[in-house]
Amino acid sequence: MVTSVPRLVIAAPSSGSGKTTVATGLMAAFAARGLAVSAHKVGPDYIDPGYHALAAGRVGRTLDAYMCGPDLVGPLFAHGSRGCDLAVVEGVMGLYDGAAGEGELASTAQVAKLLRAPVVLVVDASSQSRSVAALVHGFVSWDPEVRVGGVILNKVASDRHEGMLREALESVGVPVLGVLRRVPQVDVPGRHLGLVPVGERRGEAMAAVAAMAAQVAAGCDLDALMRVARGAGALSCGGWDAGEAVFSSPPPPLPVPSLGAVPPDPPSALDGPCPQTPDRLGAVTVAVAGGAAFTFSYAEHIELLRAAGAEVVVFDPLRDEQLPDGTRGLVIGGGFPEVFCAELSGNEPLRKAVAALAESGAPVAAECAGLLYLCRELDGLPMCGVLDATARMTERLTLGYRDAVAVSDSSLAAAGTRMRGHEFHRTVVEPGAGTAPAWGVRGAERRVEGFVQRGVHASYLHTHWASAPGVARRFVERCRTS
């Protein structure tokens, strides 16, 4: 299989240069021309893909070489971009910044090379003129395998400033594909963990995306950018398929290592097809929390659940007072429950329904915000009380990639299952008694983390199930038998 969709990677020398504005604006501007645009984001980010989805009119997807492994980047990209006319990939941090202490792993540069995609470098030119040539030359020459197809100059002050920048860049031989003037920043409000998610402010988010599109369309040469995109090399890989992935036989669980052991990288592929299919097994209803409070979810998770035989029903814990009819399992992803603490607490009927489902032994998978929602209380307000634990906001940010191994059998993972994940929160959970830990984690320190109790698997760790699709199959099978 060969994937040949035209594609661009939007990168920058550092965070704050304007990648999100340019990438989102390009997605919307090309979609306005009638193109089917596939939207992607490098790294574990949940929030930017929400804006990408508004811009492109298709689901935004992440490409994370740390959590999923480099071998899955191409297939996941091919899956998301199938049938599209153009793919735009927004980078993360600076072009060559990756996972701490891991070289180029999970960097925008690595993903660009894996995708054989040209890079467009967004440069904040607000405090420089001729020096821009040295900056761009350094990024172009640092890694010869990274092909920089052009530059977009951001925060340019005047025609004279633009002329000086263009003259300096002539010596580098990198074309200027766009110039964005120094204008008031598009109104995309943020908070302690980044931008405010689209789910909380859809009307304002749509206006912000429209402003980005207008700014980019006015300042960039879209035809030249499309020519660069068409210069991407063909990828010798087919698209990832949830059905094939979830019904491949997973490797047998390994012995649980001691907490001091470092879990190795997760496998990038599973061996051997499984003869069972969802049609033979019959569907079971799995409720997935959504709405403004729970916006963090990877598209592949729902695709894997459906491939495993689940009928996925999304519900809103802020509005719905009962779980969907026939719910046999529950998935609660990440988000900002601390922002909606009073509303979540006030929905007592749903809190009681969640507690009753968990008490019955039904499978419940909760990540980060989901973990907080299952606690006894959050910032002093009652939550579901599934776990004998309290949670509260702090000033300390916990952030970073983690290597993890399941230390307890659960509805989500057999003991010994190895996965990589990401933590991103400003809360702490103070546990009571009566639960087993979910993960042995290596990050800045080695520790155990999370809760396993009856059918509940709750943890701060965000994981990407495409890296271990057997977890979706295991979860749905437990829904059938619980």
Side-chain angles (χ1 to χ4, degrees), residues 363-392:
V364 178
E367 288 186 351
C368 201
L371 163 64
L372 305 182
Y373 186 53
L374 295 183
C375 287
R376 192 171 62 251
E377 63 180 48
L378 171 59
D379 283 342
L381 292 176
M383 292 290 120
C384 294
V386 172
L387 303 173
D388 182 19
T390 60
R392 57 183 173 82

Side-chain angles (χ1 to χ4, degrees), residues 414-429:
T417 300
R418 294 164 174 173
M419 297 186 74
R420 283 181 158 184
H422 189 263
E423 277 190 272
F424 196 34
H425 58 89
R426 286 191 186 273
T427 58
V428 295
V429 171

Side-chain angles (χ1 to χ4, degrees), residues 283-303:
V284 293
T285 299
V286 174
V288 175
F294 298 98
T295 56
F296 292 6
S297 178
Y298 296 127
E300 291 82 4
H301 288 198
I302 286 180
E303 291 169 351

